[in-house]
Amino acid sequence: MSAAGIHYRDLTSDDAEPVPQSDPAGTAGIRHVSRSLFHKPTDSHALAVEARKIMPVAAQSRGDEEVKDLGWNEPPSKIPGPLIRGLPNDELWVLIRRFNKQMYHVKDYPYPVPGNLDLNIADEEEFSPDKLRSNIERLYMTVIIGLMGFGKHLMRLRSWRETQRTAWFCTAYFVAWIFDFIVPLITVTMITLIAYAPSRPFLFPPAPLALVDGSTGGVQKPKAGVLGSHDSATGAPENHKGEAVEAEASNFVNSIASVALSSVAGKHPQNDPPAEGSGVSDSVPDPTSIVTGALNAKETADGKNSSATHDKTKVPMETAMWTKMRPVMHGVGGVTDTWERFANALEPTPPFPQEVFRLRIAALVVPLLGMSLFVTSYMFMKGLTFGVGFGLFGDPIIQPGLEWLNREFPNWQKLLEIRNNILLGVPTNAQLTITLLRIGEANKAPLPPPPRTSAPPPDKPAAITDEQLRAAGSGYPLNASPEELNQAMAHDPSVPHQTGGGDIDASKDTHHGKKGSKLLGLFKSAAKVSIETAIGADHLKAKIGDEHSKNRLGAIPDNPEELKSGPVDFKCRFHGKSGHVYISTKATIPCAAFSTDSTIEKTGSNDREDLHPVWSIPIADIKELKKVGGFGWKAKLIVGWALDREVADGLEIVDRKGQTWTVTAMVLRDELFNRLIAIGGQKWEAW
């Protein structure tokens, strides 16, 4: 920032100012604070401004509007499409929905960013079990689903069901083997698949993941009993694209936790005595449903004292495990980010370049092709064994070399990160999403939130096109007749409950017994009364000035649908008072403000000079945004269980002076968060 300071005209100028280019390692110590999206501080901002025309529906709206409403709170059928040219609305909403779940806390990063794309994960990212869960779910939806698809493609080749395709692969492989050209064949295939996208469905015809048997390569009945989705492992039905695999990811984590908890609790149903109609087993709930104290209960039942005074490993092991959780979470997130970058390089989404990234990766494979023509197997093994020996015994050379690198190039390790060389400038899904959100803000047409549907998805097969299921050559897809395919895709309600045997059924079953169920119902009723009493007490405490009670007012809305708003005005509370946060972009200084004026609900806040906000903050002065819960996590669990109600959460806004504003009871918290991070010129870092 120059010594002359910042003028108000800088906040609204559409002229791009020169900004320092980021070096790949992020070693530059230059601070640069951008005041506007149109100053293009990163490639994401620049693409959003320069590619505004890929949002054709924005141009169809009236030009005199401060913000164009493209269908906020409308059903999908009433939202024009595509909102972004080249990207179906369903796929756009998949990105936004997963972005909402991934992003919790962002801070302005005033230095050059790696790859000139912001929203990278901070090295000191805060750990929480919920974030770890979110990262494992991302790992499932990207890496695990991708590897499952790769494995099923290999099984389709091995099965010889698609005879013609497998015969061609087999012939090419063994001809190359005879002439010692296996490595050149593999590298040429890789180059073709990377550089020429149409080769991928030609060599590997698509098929829904749930429809392919992983052991035979043939057709199978999906685990959900119906082929209701194309990209999920179970084929479960969904109301909107991507919801099935997201639900799978959530249940994947739940199942891991359930199995772990059952192991901790010592669940061994085969050792249970025969049922006698009633007794202790029928009077108590399943112990695996009671998380707290499960381990101690098992140890005590086995005659062991598991208290910290007797078990000296308890505290150090727990401390070590929780201490390692942050690097584990960071590692899982890093693996998932790299996978997303490769996917976005091979199949770019507008407005990112369509050819540059994959041609760059293909060009890196070309030298391997050249080397494979001259390097013999003897030379390869000789070099490999030398490397192993040097790694074991070369420490007197390696350590001085590392010290020299650390002294001369302090951040040389950053240069070796794949995002700073091969995948330089390639976005993760989060970076892609924030770029798309910025395109909406550049057009003054914020992207509408993903649709919500309370009705369960229908138990009927999803529509199938050549994009999801294609034949190899002139035969039928998967070499199965239309009757076989239709039978596999049709609904069968018994399939989801089929397991591998009686022992699995017994371990999986969560049986409370009649009296146990009544006991749980009694606990639930008592918890419901306690919560309602606490809510009433919060209203009384709020009236006498208790800040914590004020922040909890309205956190359990009677009808969340009535609190929906946007894209300019967002219903919420501040210090317990009902009102709206509204975003003004027509003012001299674009800002976010809060007002308790009740007329906003009917007439909005556009062009309103009569509003007197409780507080107002320039968009350019926002330094930090953090999602906060309406209740603590324990209270939130109890509310969800006892009341079966949604909890409206809040948002914490911090300016550059460190002043904090916290708005609560906001149903569209994620949507306000997305508008605030996309509308300005900040370079964000995820915490």
Side-chain angles (χ1 to χ4, degrees):
M1 206 183 300
S2 64
I6 296 294
H7 297 279
Y8 285 147
R9 63 175 177 271
D10 296 329
L11 300 175
T12 55
S13 173
D14 286 2
D15 299 327
E17 294 182 354
V19 298
Q21 295 298 314
S22 65
D23 59 348
T27 57
I30 304 172
R31 289 178 60 93
H32 181 273
V33 178
S34 177
R35 309 292 294 185
S36 169
L37 168 66
F38 294 91
H39 291 168
K40 307 177 187 177
T42 69
D43 286 347
S44 174
H45 296 80
L47 285 169
V49 173
E50 295 166 4
R52 281 180 285 178
K53 293 182 179 179
I54 72 168
M55 196 173 178
V57 292
Q60 300 170 8
S61 303
R62 295 182 310 181
D64 59 344
E65 297 171 303
E66 179 178 3
V67 168
K68 307 175 184 71
D69 188 344
L70 299 181
W72 283 57
N73 305 317
E74 294 289 346
S77 58
K78 294 187 178 181
I79 297 176
L83 293 167
I84 302 292
R85 186 182 296 125
L87 184 67
N89 284 355
D90 280 343
E91 294 185 15
L92 172 65
W93 288 326
V94 167
L95 288 169
I96 295 176
R97 195 165 55 240
R98 296 177 184 177
F99 180 86
N100 292 343
K101 207 167 186 184
Q102 180 185 352
M103 289 296 128
Y104 291 83
H105 185 190
V106 295
K107 295 181 182 180
D108 185 25
Y109 186 76
Y111 303 102
V113 290
N116 210 23
L117 291 173
D118 64 331
L119 209 61
N120 294 287
I121 298 175
D123 292 335
E124 301 81 17
E125 180 189 16
E126 299 166 338
F127 170 77
S128 73
D130 198 40
K131 272 190 182 179
L132 177 61
R133 178 192 179 96
S134 175
N135 276 312
I136 295 175
E137 289 180 3
R138 287 180 59 220
L139 183 76
Y140 177 87
M141 291 185 288
T142 54
V143 180
I144 295 177
I145 287 290
L147 292 177
M148 288 174 63
F150 176 73
K152 291 195 174 186
H153 271 295
L154 292 183
M155 191 53 63
R156 287 171 62 184
L157 283 175
R158 286 193 61 200
S159 69
W160 281 88
R161 288 180 61 90
E162 300 167 78
T163 310
Q164 186 177 6
R165 183 166 73 104
T166 304
W168 279 108
F169 271 87
C170 179
T171 302
Y173 183 89
F174 281 104
V175 168
W177 176 79
I178 292 171
F179 293 100
D180 292 329
F181 263 62
I182 287 292
V183 177
L185 173 65
I186 293 174
T187 51
V188 166
T189 304
M190 287 178 60
I191 292 171
T192 304
L193 291 172
I194 293 170
Y196 187 57
S199 66
R200 300 169 202 162
F202 177 76
L203 293 175
F204 300 97
L209 191 62
L211 201 60
V212 180
D213 192 316
S215 57
T216 66
V219 176
Q220 70 170 2
K221 170 72 74 173
K223 300 299 182 185
V226 63
L227 186 66
S229 55
H230 307 130
D231 56 353
S232 64
T234 62
E238 57 188 6
N239 285 315
H240 306 288
K241 181 180 173 64
E243 287 183 341
V245 73
E246 291 164 16
E248 278 183 4
S250 178
N251 289 314
F252 174 74
V253 180
N254 290 344
S255 298
I256 293 174
S258 178
V259 171
L261 179 59
S262 297
S263 302
V264 165
K267 185 174 184 178
H268 191 56
Q270 289 81 359
N271 281 358
D272 289 349
E276 298 177 357
S278 64
V280 175
S281 296
D282 191 49
S283 300
V284 298
D286 187 330
T288 59
S289 66
I290 305 174
V291 179
T292 307
L295 174 59
N296 291 339
K298 177 185 181 295
E299 297 292 339
T300 303
D302 289 342
K304 300 175 184 178
N305 192 327
S306 59
S307 64
T309 55
H310 287 74
D311 185 355
K312 300 300 182 183
T313 66
K314 186 179 181 67
V315 173
M317 277 302 297
E318 287 180 351
T319 302
M321 288 299 296
W322 284 107
T323 301
K324 294 298 181 183
M325 283 298 101
R326 188 170 77 169
V328 167
M329 180 186 73
H330 203 74
V332 170
V335 169
T336 308
D337 284 346
T338 300
W339 188 280
E340 290 177 352
R341 285 189 174 99
F342 269 111
N344 289 328
L346 296 177
E347 295 185 9
T349 300
F352 285 88
Q354 299 298 295
E355 302 291 341
V356 174
F357 299 140
R358 61 172 173 235
L359 292 179
R360 181 201 299 164
I361 297 173
L364 293 172
V365 184
V366 172
L368 296 179
L369 173 62
M371 291 173 60
S372 67
L373 298 174
F374 303 102
V375 176
T376 64
S377 56
Y378 172 80
M379 295 166 63
F380 175 77
M381 290 304 300
K382 203 70 173 176
L384 179 63
T385 51
F386 172 79
V388 172
F390 185 75
L392 284 173
F393 308 111
D395 201 62
I397 299 175
I398 295 173
Q399 288 302 323
L402 292 176
E403 291 174 4
W404 178 81
L405 281 174
N406 290 331
R407 183 173 60 254
E408 298 297 326
F409 306 98
N411 291 311
W412 65 272
Q413 297 99 328
K414 291 288 184 182
L415 290 170
L416 300 181
E417 292 181 5
I418 198 168
R419 65 175 177 173
N420 291 325
N421 42 66
I422 298 175
L423 299 178
L424 183 68
V426 182
T428 63
N429 285 351
Q431 291 170 329
L432 169 61
T433 305
I434 195 173
T435 302
L436 297 175
L437 291 170
R438 283 169 174 156
I439 290 175
E441 296 298 339
N443 281 286
K444 294 188 176 182
L447 296 177
R452 300 182 184 184
T453 304
S454 57
D459 289 320
K460 64 180 183 180
I464 294 290
T465 66
D466 279 350
E467 186 179 350
Q468 291 94 31
L469 183 63
R470 189 178 306 177
S474 57
Y476 289 117
L478 300 174
N479 198 29
S481 66
E483 291 76 15
E484 288 179 296
L485 291 172
N486 290 333
Q487 184 178 0
M489 292 186 288
H491 181 231
D492 183 351
S494 65
V495 173
H497 303 284
Q498 296 174 2
T499 61
D503 57 335
I504 304 298
D505 289 332
S507 298
K508 174 177 173 288
D509 184 37
T510 306
H511 179 63
H512 297 296
K514 294 181 180 178
K515 294 183 180 178
S517 297
K518 290 181 179 178
L519 184 59
L520 278 181
L522 182 62
F523 287 156
K524 187 172 182 177
S525 299
K528 183 175 181 180
V529 172
S530 298
I531 292 168
E532 291 173 347
T533 302
I535 292 173
D538 276 339
H539 281 83
L540 294 176
K541 292 178 182 178
K543 290 180 180 179
I544 61 175
D546 184 78
E547 287 298 323
H548 296 294
S549 298
K550 289 180 180 179
N551 289 337
R552 290 193 294 267
L553 292 181
I556 308 178
D558 293 327
N559 186 1
E561 294 295 322
E562 293 181 356
L563 296 180
K564 287 187 176 181
S565 46
V568 176
D569 313 311
F570 298 86
K571 292 182 181 179
C572 60
R573 289 176 182 256
F574 179 69
H575 289 319
K577 296 180 179 179
S578 297
H580 293 76
V581 168
Y582 60 93
I583 299 175
S584 175
T585 55
K586 266 192 174 181
T588 306
I589 307 174
C591 63
F594 176 83
S595 174
T596 57
D597 194 321
S598 59
T599 60
I600 291 179
E601 188 165 350
K602 295 181 179 179
T603 60
S605 61
N606 290 340
D607 298 323
R608 293 281 301 276
E609 296 183 359
D610 59 321
L611 292 179
H612 301 288
V614 176
W615 53 261
S616 177
I617 176 174
I619 297 295
D621 284 349
I622 297 176
K623 183 181 179 181
E624 184 177 347
L625 292 166
K626 184 178 182 180
K627 296 178 181 179
V628 294
F631 287 101
W633 69 272
K634 289 179 285 186
K636 196 170 184 177
L637 285 177
I638 296 297
V639 168
W641 173 64
L643 299 184
D644 294 320
R645 298 257 292 275
E646 177 182 349
V647 175
D649 294 316
L651 182 65
E652 187 178 279
I653 305 171
V654 183
D655 69 5
R656 299 189 186 280
K657 296 179 181 179
Q659 190 171 354
T660 301
W661 294 268
T662 302
V663 289
T664 58
M666 181 179 294
V667 171
L668 293 186
R669 186 268 309 272
D670 290 337
E671 286 66 31
L672 176 61
F673 179 90
N674 292 349
R675 283 216 63 193
L676 292 179
I677 64 171
I679 197 172
Q682 294 90 337
K683 293 174 289 186
W684 299 110
E685 187 175 52
W687 280 70

